[in-house]
């Protein structure tokens, strides 16, 4: 078939889809084999229509085509077989076994025998490999995930999974252009041609023999029939002109993917396009305008007609090609924040919550008495507080002044951060909104006060209808208004609701900005930033108070609301059709209040109902799990996730807020708590200054304003960020407090002493038991993400895994130096051993990376990269055979299928495991890659090599942004060479660089801001270093066996551990030293040391101390690069090297 014929098939497919010929569309897809409709395939699989599934597949591939196809058909038939067994339909199971599965026996006879033996079991789940088989629906979903991966990897499906990008109604446009051309060729063209058929060429019949003038700016056809592509035969006319709409809003909104045909727009042919005013409005008008050239006729464009069809109420019966795919979610319940880590007392009933968009632990709250407060949840401190006050009563309307005179109480209906977190918007229950500028020292500065609506202002949001920031409000006066965020000038007013407007949901797609609004009569409307009116008019489930929200990636739309009778509804909308795609179950029959909800991670939904929090997986209508937050919640608590989904704030019935966290959130809170604790221990006395706040990224904010019961102490001041002299300058009235502080610090510096641990009774150390034969030195070591095990890779390519057991002394089962773990192996006795290259003996080639859920480990020791199952130690797959050998592995932070692999030949290969393909090869180093680190915040990959060079690569396009050689310490001349390791701090902006000659901290611009080099009692070369899990410490190992603990912010030494303290019995010279160090994922003071003699030691502080030493004080409250006191010379950090 020629390429033009192939394209014609696609045009026909699009036409059939637009005309709702559902079965015909899929039949043509199958028979032509040009486009595999994944959405249709998913529907068939989930419905269990196995015959139709195979019939559709057979249009694209056969069982024997390749290994991918064979696997696809095998998985489908195996699922059909298991479902028959699960129904106890033995006869059907035998039939499937003989007719469908027998064909695979010639390829894997053992597997076929095992499948056959399932017939002998009462329940096939008695088979170990099928013990986790759940219900039919979940099993189909799991299988579908695998099928999609196989289809995408199958070369027979390449270029068949995406519909070609062309404009909507393209076949109509081509026919219209043909008619237009035929009309131009008419000998007697009429101004209003009467075209009744497409079966013959058009020719105008002269009227009374007179030649009519050719058409000017009007389309060929005046009146266009409203319904259907082909009107009744008595009134045939040509296809209507196709115009280009000004927005992506169609039905609800078209998909954000411009490559899909049903999201596209079409441009009409020359001479057929209506005037610009019609072009920009016609596709969205609910009551289309009538052109003057055809009075009394109901004129519509093709896009307008198509839109009207898609905006029908009731269940949709049409089919559409799939929009952006929503991959099946792979998650763990541990991803959900369900553990209470903070309880905050606001003092009045909290009405609204919102986390800062960038500073993950800063929470904004508004109350029923008009107060707003800002909390640093990590330290439990309220850093700002404002009571309600009208700033300029004279500027308020008479109505508002009268309302305030009658009743002065006022509540916050909604408070929200601007997209960059620099502005706070507050909507009150009477008329006005206020905005504040949020200064990073914690101050709130008044900006705008607007008398926005008559009655209450029910919601407020920020948007960018143009390049400048705007504020959207809605209220009891049934209007929506848009204001300039800088001047307060009103830009738009939207009218059309017939009841008070309850909520707003601004959004953008395809660079088109729009607003969804809901009213208390249950109506949902959509607006563009113009004065045309609403583009959509639908009923929300429950017909009362409803809020709407998009998923974080902006591709999925949800709403949650409660009816007057207390029936709650949480639904996902099909934007293209304007219909409900999925309704979530699990609500109380009669909710005691309006249920509030939120979304997170493009994966989960949460709503407050029945005195608890209910969680859903976005792709499953049933409740995933619940949490009661240790009790004390109201019937319908309000809730809000932070941006990363690691924290969840929920209101309590006693005027408070509880902060729930997952493991990431707990680490974040612990990190902040640890900083507060360390700074309090470093302070000799409380300071009479305003408290400061350390947010998740390590910046500092100073409290201002009428703070209610907050502490005034200096224990939260990170010295490297704000010197005491600067704090004194902030408030001249407190200058007298500074001088004594200088004196106190000087005395403290003199009295401070480095903690030196030389005996085993000064710490807890455990050499992990090892019954295996000598395996050489430990070349890589890490903790599992759960903190329950330690995994080591030896120089002979063998892995060792130690697991701690749950006991009365260790109920959590986490690693500890107090109890010996078990050197674990699976029941089959298989060892986890890497492929090796005979010519490769350099242990520095070894590399290892662990999946986030601890299920798989990727590893290499000079040979192929192997993927192991951590439960069975079996090799799942191997790839990347040498040469060159892999030297470092790092998972992409957003996609576990993407791996950055550093290579021995100095390149970095970005590899997609799913499709077994190298996406791109990065070149920039001169020697082998020795370190890789991703920063999700900066969206970069940093690489380090044995050439002592750092390179920064953009994750988006993989282009090199910057490169810099690390600078040698002052004590070392010449350029550096040798292994260089890198690790990002928790703030994802500061980088720890490790070389045998020194440690260094680099900032986001790749500037060295702090360094330390071996000297005095720590003079041996550095062998390894790593951040603690909370980012407050740096642990470093040395080639003489010593271990040092540094303050992470200043790189000042706080503790030295001699090898005699953790290696027992005492050792002489020439023994092992730690080649690698691992930091526990949740215990910031525990480390594991991998030694040159093959031993592994777990080390942590003694029960009496619990922390590694005392942080060194800062001279005069500042961080000098070299303290004047000679006693500290042996442990000071150096200033940045000049580059």
């Amino acid at each position: 078939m020629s390429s033009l014929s192939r394209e014609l098939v696609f045009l026909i497919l699009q036409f059939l889809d637009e005309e709702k010929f559902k079965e015909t569309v899929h039949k043509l897809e199958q028979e032509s084999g040009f486009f595999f409709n994944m959405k249709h395939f998913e529907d068939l699989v989930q419905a269990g229509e196995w015959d139709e599934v195979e019939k559709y597949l057979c249009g694209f591939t056969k069982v024997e085509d390749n290994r991918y196809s064979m696997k696809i058909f095998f998985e489908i038939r195996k699922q059909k077989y298991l479902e028959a067994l699960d129904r106890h339909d033995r006869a059907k199971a035998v039939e499937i076994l003989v007719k469908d599965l027998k064909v695979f026996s010639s390829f894997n006879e053992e597997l076929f025998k095992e499948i056959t033996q399932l017939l002998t079991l009462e329940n096939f789940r008695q088979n170990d490999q099928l013990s986790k088989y759940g219900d039919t629906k979940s099993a189909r979903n799991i299988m579908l995930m695998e099928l999609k991966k196989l289809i995408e990897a199958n070369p027979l499906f390449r270029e068949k999974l995406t519909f070609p990008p062309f404009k909507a109604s393209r076949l109509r446009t081509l026919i219209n252009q043909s008619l237009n051309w035929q009309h131009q060729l008419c000998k007697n063209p009429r101004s209003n041609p009467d075209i009744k058929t497409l079966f013959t060429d058009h020719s105008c019949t002269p009227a009374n023999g007179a030649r009519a003038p050719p058409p000017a700016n009007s389309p060929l056809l005046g009146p266009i029939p409203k319904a259907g592509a082909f009107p009744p035969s008595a009134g045939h006319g040509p296809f209507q002109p196709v115009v280009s709409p000004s927005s992506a809003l169609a039905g609800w909104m078209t998909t954000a993917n411009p490559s899909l045909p049903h999201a596209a727009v079409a441009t009409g042919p020359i001479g057929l396009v209506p005037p610009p005013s019609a072009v920009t409005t016609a596709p969205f008008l609910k009551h289309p305008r009538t052109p003057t050239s055809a009075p009394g006729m109901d004129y519509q464009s093709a896009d307008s007609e198509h839109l009207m069809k898609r905006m029908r109420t009731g269940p949709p019966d049409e089919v559409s090609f799939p929009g952006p795919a929503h991959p099946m979610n792979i998650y763990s319940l541990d991803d959900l924040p369900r553990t209470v880590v903070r309880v905050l007392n606001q003092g009045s009933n909290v009405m609204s919550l919102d986390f800062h968009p960038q500073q993950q632990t800063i929470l904004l709250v508004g109350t029923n008495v008009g107060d707003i407060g800002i909390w640093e949840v990590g330290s439990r401190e309220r850093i700002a507080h404002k009571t309600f006050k009208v700033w300029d009563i004279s500027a308020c309307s008479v109505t508002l002044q009268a309302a305030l005179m009658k009743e002065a109480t006022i509540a916050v209906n909604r408070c929200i951060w601007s997209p960059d977190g620099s502005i706070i918007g507050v909507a009150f229950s009477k008329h006005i909104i206020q905005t504040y500028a949020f200064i990073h020292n914690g101050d709130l500065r008044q900006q705008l006060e607007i008398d926005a609506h008559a009655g209450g202002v029910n919601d407020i949001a920020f948007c960018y209808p143009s390049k400048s920031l705007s504020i959207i409000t809605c209220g009891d006066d049934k209007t929506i208004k848009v204001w300039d965020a800088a001047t307060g000038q009103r830009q738009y007013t939207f009218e059309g609701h017939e009841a008070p407007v309850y909520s707003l949901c601004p959004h953008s797609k395809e660079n088109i900005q729009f607003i969804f609004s809901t009213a208390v009569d249950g109506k949902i409307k959509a607006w563009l930033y113009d004065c045309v009116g609403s583009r959509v008019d639908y009923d929300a489930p429950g017909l009362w108070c409803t809020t709407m929200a998009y998923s974080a990636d902006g591709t999925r739309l949800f709403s949650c609301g409660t009816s007057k009778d207390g029936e709650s509804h949480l639904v996902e909308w099909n934007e293209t059709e304007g219909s409900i795609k999925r309704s979530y179950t699990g609500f109380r029959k009669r909710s005691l209040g309006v249920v509030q909800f939120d979304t997170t991670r493009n994966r989960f939904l949460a709503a407050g109902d029945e005195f608890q929090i209910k969680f859903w997986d976005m792709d499953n209508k049933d409740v995933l799990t619940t949490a009661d937050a240790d009790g004390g919640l109201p019937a319908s608590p309000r809730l809000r996730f932070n941006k990363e989904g690691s924290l969840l704030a929920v209101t309590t019935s006693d005027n408070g807020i509880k902060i729930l966290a997952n493991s990431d959130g707990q680490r974040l809170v612990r990190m902040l708590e640890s900083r507060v604790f360390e700074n309090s221990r470093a302070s000799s006395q409380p300071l009479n200054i305003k408290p400061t706040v350390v947010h998740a990224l390590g910046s500092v904010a100073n409290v201002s304003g009428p703070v209610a019961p907050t502490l005034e102490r200096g224990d939260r001041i990170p010295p490297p960020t704000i010197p005491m002299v600067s704090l004194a300058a902030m408030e001249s009235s407190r200058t007298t407090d500074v001088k004594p502080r200088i004196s106190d610090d000087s005395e403290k510096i003199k009295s401070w002493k480095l903690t030196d641990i030389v005996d085993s009774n000064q710490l807890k150390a455990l050499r992990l038991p090892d019954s295996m034969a000598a395996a050489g030195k430990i070349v890589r070591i890490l903790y599992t993400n759960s903190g329950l095990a330690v995994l080591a890779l030896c120089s002979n390519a063998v892995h060792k895994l130690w697991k701690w057991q749950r006991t009365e002394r260790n109920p959590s089962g986490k690693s500890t130096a107090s109890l010996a773990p078990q050197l674990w192996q699976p029941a089959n006795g298989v060892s986890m051993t890497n492929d090796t290259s005979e010519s490769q003996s350099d242990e520095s080639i070894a590399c290892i990376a662990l999946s986030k859920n601890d299920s798989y480990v990727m590893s290499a020791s000079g040979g192929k990269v192997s993927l192991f199952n951590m439960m069975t130690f079996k090799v799942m797959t191997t790839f990347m055979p040498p040469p060159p050998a892999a030297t470092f592995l790092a998972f992409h932070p957003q996609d576990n299928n993407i791996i950055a692999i550093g290579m021995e030949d100095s390149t970095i290969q970005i590899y997609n495991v799913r499709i077994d393909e190298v996406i791109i090869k990065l070149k920039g180093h001169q020697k082998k890659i020795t370190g890789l680190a991703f920063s999700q915040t900066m969206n970069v990959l940093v690489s380090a090599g044995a050439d002592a060079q750092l390179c920064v690569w953009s994750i988006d396009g993989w282009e090199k942004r910057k490169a810099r050689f690390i600078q040698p310490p002052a004590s070392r001349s010449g350029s550096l060479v040798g292994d260089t390791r890198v690790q990002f701090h928790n703030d994802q902006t500061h980088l720890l660089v490790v070389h045998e000659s020194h440690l260094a901290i680099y900032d986001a611009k790749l500037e060295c801001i702090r360094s330390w080099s071996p000297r005095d009692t720590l003079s041996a070369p550095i062998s390894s270093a790593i951040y603690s899990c909370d980012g407050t410490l740096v642990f470093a190992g040395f080639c003489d066996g010593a271990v040092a603990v540094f303050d992470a912010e200043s790189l000042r030494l706080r503790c030295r551990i001699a090898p005699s303290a953790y290696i027992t019995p005492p050792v002489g010279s020439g023994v092992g030293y730690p080649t690698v160090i691992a930091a526990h994922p949740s215990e910031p003071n525990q480390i594991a040391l991998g030694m040159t003699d093959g031993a592994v030691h777990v080390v942590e502080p003694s029960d009496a101390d619990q922390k590694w030493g005392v942080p060194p004080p800062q001279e005069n409250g500042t961080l000098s690069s070299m303290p004047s006191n000679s006693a500290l010379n042996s442990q000071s950090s150096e200033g940045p090297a000049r580059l």
Side-chain angles (χ1 to χ4, degrees), residues 289-302:
R289 299 173 181 173
T290 303
T292 54
S293 61
M297 303 303 292
D298 192 0
Y299 176 85
Q300 291 179 314
S301 69

Side-chain angles (χ1 to χ4, degrees), residues 535-549:
R535 279 10 190 241
V536 160
D537 189 353
Y538 286 105
D539 290 333
L543 300 177
W544 200 41
C545 298
T546 298
T547 55
M548 306 184 77

Side-chain angles (χ1 to χ4, degrees), residues 33-54:
F34 291 159
F35 173 63
F36 185 82
N37 191 327
M38 188 68 82
K39 179 64 169 62
H40 174 60
F41 180 72
E42 290 177 11
D43 292 341
L44 292 176
V45 170
Q46 290 174 333
E49 298 179 14
W50 305 118
D51 291 342
E52 292 299 318
V53 167
E54 290 208 18

Side-chain angles (χ1 to χ4, degrees), residues 251-496:
W252 286 82
M253 292 292 299
T254 59
T255 174
N257 185 351
S259 67
L260 297 178
H262 312 294
V265 294
T267 303
I270 298 174
L272 300 181
V273 180
S277 61
V279 172
T280 57
T281 60
F284 309 107
L285 295 181
K286 293 176 58 183
H287 305 288
R289 299 173 181 173
T290 303
T292 54
S293 61
M297 303 303 292
D298 192 0
Y299 176 85
Q300 291 179 314
S301 69
D303 279 15
S304 175
E305 176 188 342
H306 187 49
L307 171 70
M308 296 296 286
K309 291 181 181 179
R310 295 167 70 145
M311 291 178 60
R312 294 175 298 184
T313 57
D317 57 359
E318 57 265 47
V319 63
S320 61
F321 291 117
H326 305 306
M328 296 297 297
N329 289 321
I330 304 174
Y331 59 83
S332 163
L333 290 181
D334 293 337
D335 294 337
L336 293 169
R338 295 184 294 160
T339 303
V340 177
V341 294
R342 291 289 183 269
V343 179
L344 311 175
N345 181 21
Q346 178 63 30
S348 50
N349 189 19
V350 177
M351 305 296 291
S352 181
L353 300 157
D354 196 28
F355 275 100
H356 194 281
Q358 298 173 0
Q359 303 178 30
Q360 298 295 302
T361 57
I362 301 294
L363 177 66
L364 171 67
V365 301
T367 74
N368 64 333
V369 295
D371 292 355
I372 59 169
I374 299 177
W375 290 86
E376 211 311 311
V377 301
S379 63
R380 300 182 178 89
E381 292 193 32
R382 187 165 57 182
I383 62 175
H385 178 242
K386 294 288 184 183
T387 56
F388 172 72
K389 178 183 177 182
V390 176
W391 301 341
D392 185 2
I393 192 67
S394 62
C396 297
S397 64
V398 176
T399 308
L400 174 57
Q401 294 183 37
L404 293 173
M405 289 290 291
K406 182 178 180 181
E407 185 180 0
T409 57
I410 194 168
V412 173
N413 279 341
R414 181 73 184 275
C415 55
I416 191 172
W417 295 98
S418 64
D420 64 357
S422 64
I423 300 175
I424 292 170
V426 188
F428 293 97
S429 58
K430 292 179 182 175
H431 292 253
I432 66 171
I433 64 167
Q434 293 177 344
T435 65
Y436 293 86
F438 177 65
I439 313 303
H440 286 291
N441 64 4
D443 196 11
L444 290 179
R445 297 181 185 173
Q446 296 177 2
Q447 275 197 333
L448 295 175
E449 182 176 65
I450 303 174
D451 191 344
H453 294 270
V457 185
N458 296 324
D459 203 0
I460 184 171
F462 290 93
C463 64
Y464 283 96
S466 58
K467 293 183 179 179
S468 60
L469 182 67
S470 295
I471 303 168
I472 317 170
T473 62
C474 65
D476 290 342
D477 58 3
K478 307 175 186 178
T479 65
I480 301 156
K481 298 179 181 180
V482 182
W483 316 82
D484 187 291
T487 65
Q489 181 179 357
R490 188 170 64 189
Q491 297 172 320
Y492 301 98
T493 299
F494 301 132
E495 298 178 333

Side-chain angles (χ1 to χ4, degrees), residues 484-733:
D484 187 291
T487 65
Q489 181 179 357
R490 188 170 64 189
Q491 297 172 320
Y492 301 98
T493 299
F494 301 132
E495 298 178 333
H497 276 292
E498 298 177 358
V501 185
Y502 181 72
S503 70
L504 300 166
C505 180
H507 196 57
S508 64
K509 282 197 177 182
E510 299 176 9
N511 297 319
I512 303 300
Q513 304 282 336
F514 59 96
I515 309 166
F516 279 119
S517 62
T518 69
V520 296
D521 60 357
K523 291 294 183 182
I524 298 174
K525 294 182 183 291
W527 318 78
L528 296 178
Y529 291 89
D530 54 27
C531 299
V532 174
S534 69
R535 279 10 190 241
V536 160
D537 189 353
Y538 286 105
D539 290 333
L543 300 177
W544 200 41
C545 298
T546 298
T547 55
M548 306 184 77
Y550 275 91
S551 57
D553 60 7
T555 62
R556 305 177 71 172
L557 178 62
F558 302 89
S559 74
C560 182
T562 304
S563 71
K564 292 181 180 179
D565 296 328
E567 292 186 6
S568 294
H569 304 268
L570 176 60
V571 302
E572 180 179 3
W573 289 91
N574 183 326
E575 291 182 90
T576 304
E577 308 296 349
S579 59
I580 293 173
K581 178 179 180 180
R582 180 181 288 106
S583 294
Y584 299 90
T585 61
F587 287 105
R588 178 190 175 103
K589 289 187 177 180
R590 290 188 177 273
S591 300
L592 303 175
V594 177
V595 170
Q596 307 290 321
F597 88 113
D598 199 9
T599 74
T600 186
R601 295 190 174 191
N602 304 314
R603 177 183 300 175
F604 298 117
L605 301 166
D609 183 47
E610 289 190 276
F611 305 94
Q612 59 186 338
I613 306 154
K614 298 178 179 179
F615 297 95
W616 290 264
D617 167 21
M618 288 181 177
D619 295 321
N620 193 323
K621 66 181 180 64
D622 298 321
V623 172
L624 179 63
T625 188
T626 62
D628 64 359
D630 299 336
L633 303 185
S636 300
R638 293 174 172 82
L639 47 80
R640 179 70 59 184
F641 288 102
N642 69 349
K643 185 177 180 180
E644 300 299 329
S646 59
L647 299 176
L648 175 64
V650 58
T651 58
T652 65
S653 55
D654 58 355
N655 298 333
I657 306 158
K658 288 188 177 183
I659 306 298
L660 284 69
N662 60 14
S663 57
D664 292 337
Q666 292 176 53
R667 279 194 290 269
L668 180 64
V669 169
R670 271 197 301 268
M671 178 184 71
L672 297 172
E673 190 174 45
S674 177
R675 290 185 178 181
V676 172
F677 176 80
E678 296 298 345
N679 287 322
S680 67
R681 289 185 63 177
S683 301
S684 60
Q685 64 181 20
L687 285 177
N688 186 24
I689 61 170
K690 298 177 182 179
T692 58
V693 170
V694 186
H695 63 73
L697 300 183
S699 63
V700 178
N702 187 41
V703 180
S704 179
V707 181
T710 57
L711 303 175
E712 293 198 350
R713 67 181 191 225
D715 57 9
R716 303 182 63 239
I717 303 168
T721 312
I722 299 185
M724 291 299 173
V725 176
S726 300
L727 285 172
M730 291 180 188
E731 195 168 339
S732 59
S733 64

